[in-house]
Amino acid sequence: MSASRRSGATDELGPDEPGEPGSDLLAALLDGMDAALCAFDADGVVTHWNREAERILGWTAAEAVGRHGFAGWAVRSADAEEVQARLMSAMHAPGRQVHEFALVTKDGGRILVRTQSAAVRGPDGKPAGVYCAFSEVHAQIDLERSIALSEALFEDAAWGVVLVDADLRPAVVNAYAARALGVGRAAALGRPLGELLTQGAEELEAALTHVLAEGAPPAPAEMWVAVRTPEGERRRCWRNGFLRLASPLAEEPVPLGVGWLFQDVTEARQDQQEAALLRFRSNQLHRAARAAAEYEDPAEAAVVHLDFALAGFADHALVDRLAGGPRAEGGDGPEPVRLVRLAATPAGAPGPSLLTGAAGLPVRYPDGHPARQCVRRAGTVRADAGDLPAERAREWALERQWPGDAVYALCAVLRSRGRTLGVLTFLRGAGRSRFERADTAYAEDVAVRIAAALDLADAVRGRQDPGGR
C-alpha cells in the first residue's frame, strides 16, 4: 500500500484523513507508478513511500513512513549524512537534481539507485519538502540504452528501419529507408506500401500481416521489389527482418505494429546470379564438346552444340547456311545474301533439333532481315518486337519466318577460317527477358563451335567426293 503522513501526525494515509476526498486517489496513483517514489517534509521526515519502493528495497510503507531520513535503515551510517544533504538540497535548487546512491535493502544487501529529486512547494509557494523518484541503476541504464539504440537506428543505421503500424502503413522511417523508397522521410508516413512500391508490395504486406499474427520469422527473408525513381522503375533485392511490436503496458500483448529492417543486397545477388549463370553456361559448353566429339558426322555434332546451348537460354534456335558456299567478304558481294535452313528446333512440342534443308531451297527472308544483316556485317545483330500488342508481335515474327511466339531475336554469324558460313539465330518468347550483352557473348561462343563443326563437315565431304559429285 502507499502511505504518507504529515509532520507531527501518526496516520499513514497522507495529508487527507481516512475517508477524506483525495486520499484513496492519491494512494492509487502512487501505487500505480512504475518508478519508486518517496517524499520528505521540510524536516527530512519520510511522508510517502509507494509499492515500487517497497519492491526495490524491501521496506514496507509502515516501516518507512515517519522515519527521519535514510539514516540507520536505508543507507549505511557512514553515508547517511551525505545522502540526506544531497537529497534535501533539491528543496532550494531549481528544477530536478539527479544523483546515484548505494541504498541498503531490508535483508542487508546493497543496491545502486539513480534518483531524481525536486522541491515540493506549499500553498504559499515556499519549499515544503522534497519528492524523490528512484530506480535501480541497471534498469535505468537499460532504458537509456533502449532509447539510444532507437535514436541511432533512426538516424545513423546503415540499413533501412521502418515502423509499420497495425494498418500496414509506415509510422516512422529512417534516412536509409527513405532513400531506398525514393521519397522523403515525412512523405512516406501514413501511405500504403502500394504507393511506395510498384512491384512487391503485396508480398511485403503479406509478410507484415503474418508477423502481426504469428510473430517474427526465424530468419531474414529476401524479396525483389520495384521502386519508382526519377529515372524510372528500378528492381531491387532487399534482405528483410521483421519484429512484432507489442505494448509493454497492456495486460495482454497488444500489437502496435511491426519493426521492419532491411538492407539492399541487389548488387550481391546480381553478382551471384551472374556467376551461377556463367558456371551453368560453361558447363553446357563443356558437356556439348564432349558429346559432339562422339559423332562421326560433324554436321550432327553441330546440332548437338545447338541443343546444349538452347537449354535455359532461348525457346527456339535456327542454323542457316549461305547458299553457294562460304564468303570471305562481309558485304553482299556479287550476289545477294541467300540462306538455306540447315537445322532448327522442332515446332510445337520440345525435342532435339533436326537437320533440314536437304533440298537446298533458300529461306524467304525479306530485305533488312536480321539474319541477312548479320551476314553483311559479319557480326551479331539483336532485334525485338518492342511494345507491340500480342497479335501484332505474332505478325512481326511470322513476317521474318520465325515461330509466332518469338519476341526477341539474336543472330550470331558463323565464321571459320576467315570465312562466313551462315547465321545462328536464337529466339525468345514474351515470357523471357530481352537478350543482353552477356547473352551475346555466349551466343557468339556457341556460333564459333558450330561454325567449326560445319567447316569440318565441308572438308570431310570434299575429301569423300573429290570430283564435286
Side-chain angles (χ1 to χ4, degrees):
M1 62 174 285
S2 298
S4 60
R5 60 170 289 152
R6 282 185 186 159
S7 177
T10 58
D11 63 273
E12 295 181 350
L13 294 176
D16 298 312
E17 295 298 328
E20 290 185 5
S23 61
D24 292 340
L25 175 60
L26 176 60
L29 288 174
L30 294 178
D31 282 343
M33 294 178 64
D34 291 330
L37 184 137
C38 65
F40 304 88
D41 63 14
D43 297 325
V45 177
V46 177
T47 60
H48 295 78
W49 191 265
N50 74 347
R51 292 196 182 205
E52 185 65 11
E54 178 181 340
R55 185 193 69 78
I56 293 175
L57 296 179
W59 301 96
T60 65
E63 295 169 320
V65 172
R67 290 180 180 265
H68 191 280
F70 288 153
W73 62 288
V75 296
R76 296 190 310 171
S77 299
D79 301 330
E81 185 176 348
E82 179 189 359
V83 169
Q84 188 71 7
R86 292 169 69 181
L87 283 175
M88 298 307 294
S89 66
M91 191 165 58
H92 303 287
R96 292 180 298 173
Q97 290 190 336
V98 179
H99 302 288
E100 289 186 2
F101 302 124
L103 299 183
V104 178
T105 63
K106 187 176 182 179
D107 59 7
R110 299 184 70 201
I111 186 169
L112 186 63
V113 299
R114 179 172 295 178
T115 66
Q116 294 187 45
S117 54
V120 176
R121 302 190 179 277
D124 57 359
K126 295 181 179 180
V130 173
Y131 81 83
C132 173
F134 63 92
S135 60
E136 299 175 70
V137 166
H138 72 80
Q140 184 71 19
I141 291 176
D142 287 345
L143 175 61
E144 292 179 2
R145 283 174 178 162
S146 296
I147 296 173
L149 175 61
S150 298
E151 293 294 331
L153 286 174
F154 286 109
E155 295 299 332
D156 306 320
W159 52 85
V161 182
V162 181
L163 295 188
V164 181
D165 63 22
D167 294 327
L168 306 185
R169 298 181 183 229
V172 184
V173 178
N174 78 339
Y176 181 106
R179 289 193 301 270
L181 292 169
V183 296
R185 294 179 66 176
L189 304 183
R191 296 175 60 183
L193 295 175
E195 294 183 6
L196 302 174
L197 302 175
T198 57
Q199 294 179 16
E202 296 84 358
E203 184 180 3
L204 181 57
E205 288 179 346
L208 294 171
T209 302
H210 172 82
V211 173
L212 282 172
E214 304 293 337
E222 291 187 1
M223 299 180 187
W224 283 91
V225 300
V227 183
R228 294 185 182 91
T229 68
E231 297 77 23
E233 290 187 5
R234 294 177 60 195
R235 291 190 74 240
R236 313 302 297 171
C237 182
W238 290 346
R239 185 174 178 84
N240 306 280
F242 302 98
L243 298 169
R244 182 167 62 176
L245 306 179
S247 172
L249 304 179
E251 294 183 3
E252 297 182 1
V254 177
L256 298 177
V258 177
W260 167 33
L261 294 83
F262 69 93
Q263 194 167 30
D264 194 321
V265 294
T266 306
E267 293 184 4
R269 293 299 167 265
Q270 288 177 340
D271 290 344
Q272 290 178 359
Q273 291 176 355
E274 291 174 2
L277 184 61
L278 182 60
R279 286 195 302 271
F280 173 76
R281 290 179 176 176
S282 297
N283 289 337
Q284 287 296 95
L285 292 174
H286 175 72
R287 294 171 59 198
R290 289 177 60 88
E294 302 301 320
Y295 282 82
E296 183 178 356
D297 184 355
E300 293 181 355
V303 174
V304 170
H305 280 289
L306 187 65
D307 288 335
F308 273 93
L310 192 64
F313 182 69
D315 298 313
H316 306 282
L318 313 170
V319 177
D320 299 322
R321 293 206 59 174
L322 272 172
R327 294 186 180 186
E329 69 279 358
D332 282 345
E335 298 180 1
V337 174
R338 294 188 304 157
L339 295 165
V340 177
R341 181 66 43 80
L342 177 68
T345 51
S353 301
L354 304 174
L355 283 169
T356 61
L361 298 177
V363 185
R364 295 181 296 106
Y365 284 150
D367 291 337
H369 191 281
R372 299 181 69 172
Q373 293 180 28
C374 181
V375 173
R376 294 191 184 100
R377 299 178 186 177
T380 304
V381 174
R382 286 184 290 179
D384 62 71
D387 298 326
L388 294 176
E391 188 58 35
R392 186 67 188 90
R394 177 179 175 81
E395 295 176 2
W396 175 86
L398 295 177
E399 287 171 359
R400 287 156 181 77
Q401 309 301 312
W402 291 333
D405 61 343
V407 176
Y408 309 109
L410 175 61
C411 298
V413 66
L414 300 174
R415 296 274 297 178
S416 178
R417 293 190 294 161
R419 302 172 304 155
T420 298
L421 280 65
V423 179
L424 168 63
T425 302
F426 287 109
L427 302 169
R428 288 178 176 175
R432 295 178 181 266
S433 61
R434 66 180 70 247
F435 289 101
E436 303 293 346
R437 182 172 299 178
D439 300 323
T440 299
Y442 179 63
E444 291 172 347
D445 218 355
V446 175
V448 168
R449 295 165 186 260
I450 292 178
L454 296 181
D455 199 11
L456 178 59
D458 289 343
V460 172
R461 189 178 301 111
R463 287 198 300 269
Q464 293 174 349
D465 188 12
R469 296 186 296 273

